[in-house]
């Protein structure tokens, strides 16, 4: 079994003006891919694995056309060189937007199919916040999506896609895919699988997997901050029995439609000033406050200083902000040195529309891993400590803070640019508060501009008739 492996994985808010370039991606090429822990399961199953290229980036704005074209060209050249093949596994996200394109994954997967031909079995794994299209479905034989948000089953999902591919090649069975659009687009913060009704909707998916003729059942939330024609929730089912697959897709789609009005934010959620008032009255610690509109893991720019400005206005004592992306501010701190007090502009370094503040700050710590874009600076503004990052990145791991000498459990108020909290931070939050802040992924979904979405969607149109209409992949008709 000769199986090639590669893909491209990121999530892009079309409301962000900050394009992503090649430098924003972590790229595995050739043997480097095989040596990565991310792909360590590829040794299972006895296949000859031909590693291509896999590019992955922290979510952000659209990918520049030049960056996308360069990655795609290299991927396809490596794919051509790997022929002949029996299978192709694509590790994707599904919510990438490329300037000048409506369906970037559709373009990537269609181009790969054109190279490998109709007889090669193609399997893909997706984030449940990916957007699917008929173009994508028509190129695939196997599909698997995450079933948890926060995403704690990434590896498990990739193994599902890989295992089904091995099964098809070893047994000679040829599975197919069907999907059913669901005209609902909700943010991940309202659809966490930690909370109802998403918890129950996802919990039943393994029951579909054991039905005769079903290999893998998926429920995709979709990505609401992509104003493009393919943006939609959907059910996607892989199997060997067309009727069983279509029936399962219809049931999954109908269950989400029926529950659409029941989704709520999991944590206590209020506009910024109201949530800070709650925090001021809270005696427990650590209070963890999520700056939801500027969350880099959802596509936020990460350079907004509005929460910092609000804390300064309240003369807050005992807050740690991790972190604000501002490379010029980091470089200014490095030029000044630790222990130096200086005037510093913070915020708006990437998006000119992002709010900024100018403060008197003390440089506490300079962290230099070796590359200029990996540098961090820790500053103090009276009772507020701020971590500044040279590069867009989240601060969602305990190690992000302990590296810099902080124990998040001991902080009175920890502010992170996040929506629902990461699996590491959520258990220590006491309590977990989410601020409805401005930004390119703000939670005011009903007022998002919709210029290019295709058809009626809940919640923009609260009431209309819907019945699922599952569609088979063109490869299976």
């Amino acid at each position: 079994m000769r199986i090639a492996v590669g893909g491209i994985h990121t999530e892009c808010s079309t409301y962000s003006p900050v394009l992503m370039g090649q430098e924003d991606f972590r790229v595995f090429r050739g043997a480097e891919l095989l040596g990565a822990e991310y792909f360590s399961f590829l040794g299972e199953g006895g296949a000859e694995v031909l590693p291509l290229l896999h590019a992955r980036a922290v979510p952000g704005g659209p990918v520049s056309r030049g960056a996308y074209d360069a990655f795609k060209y290299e991927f396809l050249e490596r794919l051509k060189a790997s022929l002949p093949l029996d299978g192709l596994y694509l590790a994707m996200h599904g919510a990438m937007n490329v300037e000048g394109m409506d369906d970037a994954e559709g373009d990537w997967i269609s181009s790969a199919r054109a190279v490998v031909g109709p007889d090669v079995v193609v399997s893909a794994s997706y984030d449940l916040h990916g957007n699917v299209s008929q173009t994508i479905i028509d190129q695939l034989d196997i599909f698997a999506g995450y079933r948890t948000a926060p995403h704690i089953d990434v590896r498990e999902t990739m193994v599902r896609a890989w295992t089904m591919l091995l099964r098809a090649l070893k047994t000679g069975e040829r599975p197919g895919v069907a999907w059913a659009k669901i005209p609902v687009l909700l943010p991940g913060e309202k659809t966490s699988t930690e909370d109802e009704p998403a918890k129950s909707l996802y919990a039943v998916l393994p029951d579909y997997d054991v039905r005769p003729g079903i290999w893998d059942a998926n429920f995709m939330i979709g990505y609401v901050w992509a104003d493009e024609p393919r943006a939609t929730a959907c059910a996607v089912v892989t199997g060997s029995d067309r009727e069983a697959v279509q029936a399962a897709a219809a049931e999954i789609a109908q269950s989400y439609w029926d529950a659409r009005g029941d989704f709520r934010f999991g944590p206590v959620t209020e506009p910024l000033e109201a949530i800070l008032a709650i925090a001021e009255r809270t005696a427990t610690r650590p209070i963890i406050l999520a700056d939801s509109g500027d969350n880099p893991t959802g596509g936020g720019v990460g350079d907004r200083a509005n929460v910092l400005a609000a804390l300064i206005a309240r003369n807050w004592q005992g807050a740690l902000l991790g972190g604000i992306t501002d490379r010029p501010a980091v470089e200014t701190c490095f030029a000044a040195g630790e222990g130096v007090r200086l005037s510093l502009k913070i915020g708006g370094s990437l998006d000119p529309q992002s709010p900024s503040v100018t403060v008197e700050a003390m440089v506490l710590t300079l962290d230099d891993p070796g590359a200029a874009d990996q540098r961090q600076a820790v500053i103090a503004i009276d009772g507020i400590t701020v971590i500044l990052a040279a590069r867009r990145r989240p601060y969602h791991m305990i190690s992000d803070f302990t590296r810099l000498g902080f124990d998040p459990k001991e902080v009175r108020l920890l502010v992170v640019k996040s929506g629902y909290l990461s699996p590491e931070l959520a258990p220590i939050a006491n309590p977990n508060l989410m601020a409805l802040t401005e930004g390119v992924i703000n939670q005011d979904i009903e007022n998002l501009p919709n210029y290019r979405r295709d058809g009626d969607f809940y919640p923009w149109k609260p009431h209309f008739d819907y019945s699922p209409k599952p569609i088979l992949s063109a490869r299976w008709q």
Side-chain angles (χ1 to χ4, degrees):
M1 297 180 294
R2 288 173 55 85
I3 304 176
V5 178
I8 189 165
H9 187 292
T10 194
E11 181 176 70
C12 306
S13 168
T14 60
Y15 301 102
S16 173
V18 183
L19 293 179
M20 286 198 281
Q22 288 181 266
E23 68 279 3
D24 292 302
F25 286 79
R26 177 219 63 191
V27 183
F28 294 137
R29 293 176 168 90
E32 204 175 30
L33 186 154
L34 286 181
E37 173 61 26
Y38 190 69
F39 287 104
S40 60
F41 62 89
L42 294 175
E44 303 167 8
E48 179 185 355
V49 180
L50 295 100
L52 308 175
L53 170 145
H54 189 266
R56 179 169 182 162
V58 171
V63 178
S64 74
R65 187 59 179 265
Y68 174 79
D69 286 346
F71 285 137
K72 176 185 167 186
Y73 176 81
E74 182 179 351
F75 168 79
L76 293 177
E77 288 300 300
R78 290 175 177 270
L79 182 60
K80 292 171 187 174
S82 72
L83 297 175
L85 294 171
D86 301 298
L88 172 64
Y89 167 49
L90 299 172
M92 311 294 285
H93 180 288
M96 177 172 59
N97 179 272
V98 174
E99 56 177 349
M101 275 189 183
D102 280 333
D103 186 359
E105 281 86 3
D107 177 73
W108 185 281
I109 297 172
S110 296
S111 299
R113 171 61 76 184
V115 170
V116 302
D119 297 330
V120 170
V121 181
V122 179
S123 176
S125 58
Y126 263 58
D127 188 306
L128 62 84
H129 297 125
N131 290 324
V132 179
S133 69
Q134 189 65 49
T135 299
I136 291 166
I137 295 295
D138 284 345
Q139 310 307 316
L140 297 177
D141 303 288
I142 294 167
F143 182 99
Y146 302 169
R147 291 174 172 175
T148 61
H151 306 315
I152 58 174
D153 68 332
V154 175
R155 183 183 181 87
E156 178 183 327
T157 302
M158 296 171 75
V159 169
R160 279 165 42 215
W162 178 249
T163 302
M164 285 190 285
L165 178 54
L166 293 175
R167 172 182 171 180
L169 295 179
K170 288 178 178 180
T171 66
E173 294 180 87
R174 284 297 178 264
V177 179
W179 77 310
K181 294 182 182 180
I182 315 167
V184 176
L185 276 171
L186 293 173
E189 286 68 30
K190 280 190 175 179
T191 53
S192 169
T193 58
E194 299 291 316
D195 305 312
E196 295 294 354
K199 184 176 183 178
S200 294
L201 292 173
Y202 277 92
V204 301
L205 291 181
D207 297 338
Y208 288 98
D209 296 347
V210 297
R211 290 185 181 182
I214 303 294
W215 288 25
D216 199 86
N218 300 278
F219 162 36
M220 305 290 287
I221 296 294
Y223 183 65
V224 70
W225 292 290
D227 184 14
E228 57 184 16
R230 66 171 178 158
T232 186
C234 65
V236 186
V237 182
T238 302
S240 55
D241 184 314
R242 291 172 176 79
E243 290 187 3
V245 166
Q246 288 178 294
E251 289 176 36
I252 295 167
Q254 189 66 52
S255 68
Y256 188 34
W257 176 256
D258 292 343
R260 67 191 182 284
D262 298 333
F263 289 87
R264 303 287 186 272
F265 292 119
V268 176
T269 306
E270 297 286 349
L272 179 57
E273 291 301 327
I275 211 77
L276 289 178
I278 292 172
E280 285 181 330
R281 300 191 299 268
T282 300
T284 55
R285 66 171 60 191
I287 307 163
I288 302 186
L289 189 154
D291 176 5
S292 63
D294 202 30
N295 169 22
T297 65
V301 177
D303 72 340
R304 296 176 63 88
N306 46 323
V307 177
L308 173 59
L311 290 173
I312 293 171
R314 287 172 177 264
N315 191 28
W316 189 279
Q317 300 296 305
L320 172 62
L321 278 70
I324 299 175
T325 302
D326 195 324
R327 185 165 178 172
V330 171
E331 291 176 349
T332 298
C333 291
F334 268 81
E338 292 181 356
V340 174
R341 183 170 293 276
L342 74 171
S343 178
L344 197 61
K345 176 182 176 291
I346 301 171
S349 65
L350 295 173
D351 180 359
Q353 299 302 312
S354 293
S356 63
V357 294
T358 299
V359 298
E360 292 296 316
M362 171 74 76
V363 180
L364 299 180
T365 306
L366 298 173
D367 178 46
D368 188 357
D373 67 349
Q374 299 296 321
R375 285 176 166 181
Q376 302 175 90
V378 181
I379 61 170
I381 307 165
D382 296 326
I384 303 168
T385 304
V386 183
I387 303 171
L388 301 173
R391 181 176 182 172
R392 290 181 62 256
R393 52 159 296 177
Y395 285 80
H396 290 180
M397 310 288 285
I398 297 293
S399 59
D400 295 334
F401 301 98
T402 56
R403 174 185 176 88
L404 298 170
F406 300 108
D407 181 352
K409 295 187 293 294
E410 299 301 319
V411 177
R412 180 187 173 199
L413 174 67
L414 176 64
V415 178
V416 290
K417 291 183 181 293
S418 182
Y420 49 65
L421 295 183
S422 70
E424 289 201 16
L425 293 182
I428 70 170
N430 188 23
N432 171 9
L433 306 177
M434 189 171 78
L436 297 175
T437 48
E438 294 298 317
V440 301
I441 58 163
N442 75 76
Q443 301 290 328
D444 186 14
I445 301 305
E446 289 83 351
N447 289 312
L448 281 180
N450 283 309
Y451 301 117
R452 310 196 65 249
R453 297 188 213 276
D454 186 14
D456 294 328
F457 278 87
Y458 179 89
W460 291 277
K461 186 174 181 179
H463 307 291
F464 57 96
D465 293 331
Y466 164 75
S467 60
K469 295 179 175 57
I471 303 172
L472 295 173
S473 166
R475 289 180 53 76
W476 212 17
Q477 292 178 5

